[in-house]
Amino acid sequence: MSANCCNHATEDQLRDRRYRCVLWAALVINAGMFFVEIVAGVAAGSTSLQADALDFLADAANYGISLFVVGMTLRYRSSAALVKGATMGIFGMWVLLTAFRHAAYGSLPEATTMGAVGVVALLANAASFALLWTYRGGDSNMRSVWLCSRNDIIGNCAVVLAALGVFKSGQSWPDIFVAVVMAGFALQGAWRIIRLALAELQPRPLH
């Protein structure tokens, strides 16, 4: 019996070690892409690229939080997920406000830069998504990390489509539309993560 317990503990430690390596890789990818996209987004005057850049920054911070709580009790991991859900919600609201501001005062973004950087960001997030796929069915903390990566891929595809739309139409509305859609995904993901984390934080009945 004790041998089985020891083996189980060893398996958990190996799983946590692998998860830490995956999180470090995802953190480096996201932090690097934040700098690339924020510079490109400002240079191109693209709301969707700037929104995607801030999403990369939020994800890098989320991966850092997840690294901190790996191996801790469910309560700590759920609390971290709650913080990440709130962060995603704030990000979504910020993107909405930025999109509305650009709709009123923004100029035409540079479609070529949008498309090129969007493709690079898509490849970067696809790598993170593949790394995190194994952990998509874990607790709220693990699910929050995977949901962020999934939403990022959808957002990157949308940025590329927005670049095509701007190029074809000669107008800025595709860029603004995509930014609003990305904000919607962030708000939806935030709600799912917060709801799951709150459920895990509820006291369990004693048997």
Side-chain angles (χ1 to χ4, degrees), residues 113-195:
T113 303
M114 283 178 63
V117 177
V119 170
V120 173
L122 176 61
L123 294 175
N125 272 321
S128 295
F129 183 83
L131 288 170
L132 294 165
W133 176 261
T134 305
Y135 305 97
R136 67 192 184 281
D139 57 35
S140 62
N141 184 58
M142 287 185 174
R143 289 188 195 182
S144 70
V145 171
W146 181 77
L147 276 172
C148 287
S149 182
R150 185 206 64 178
N151 289 349
D152 289 344
I153 288 182
I154 297 172
N156 297 146
C157 291
V159 169
V160 174
L161 291 176
L164 291 174
V166 170
F167 181 78
K168 292 289 186 181
S169 68
Q171 298 180 14
S172 62
W173 67 261
D175 181 54
I176 295 169
F177 175 77
V178 165
V180 172
V181 171
M182 291 172 68
F185 274 116
L187 292 172
Q188 180 194 42
W191 169 245
R192 290 182 62 183
I193 292 167
I194 289 172
R195 185 176 59 181

Side-chain angles (χ1 to χ4, degrees), residues 59-155:
D59 288 347
N62 287 340
Y63 297 146
I65 293 172
S66 295
L67 277 166
F68 181 73
V69 299
V70 168
M72 292 187 177
T73 64
L74 179 61
R75 182 170 186 82
Y76 284 107
R77 299 197 306 271
S78 300
S79 298
L82 194 60
V83 171
K84 289 189 285 185
T87 302
M88 286 178 67
I90 293 171
F91 160 75
M93 293 303 299
W94 184 91
V95 171
L96 277 179
L97 292 174
T98 302
F100 292 148
R101 182 171 60 84
H102 274 257
Y105 306 108
S107 57
L108 184 68
E110 172 54 51
T112 303
T113 303
M114 283 178 63
V117 177
V119 170
V120 173
L122 176 61
L123 294 175
N125 272 321
S128 295
F129 183 83
L131 288 170
L132 294 165
W133 176 261
T134 305
Y135 305 97
R136 67 192 184 281
D139 57 35
S140 62
N141 184 58
M142 287 185 174
R143 289 188 195 182
S144 70
V145 171
W146 181 77
L147 276 172
C148 287
S149 182
R150 185 206 64 178
N151 289 349
D152 289 344
I153 288 182
I154 297 172

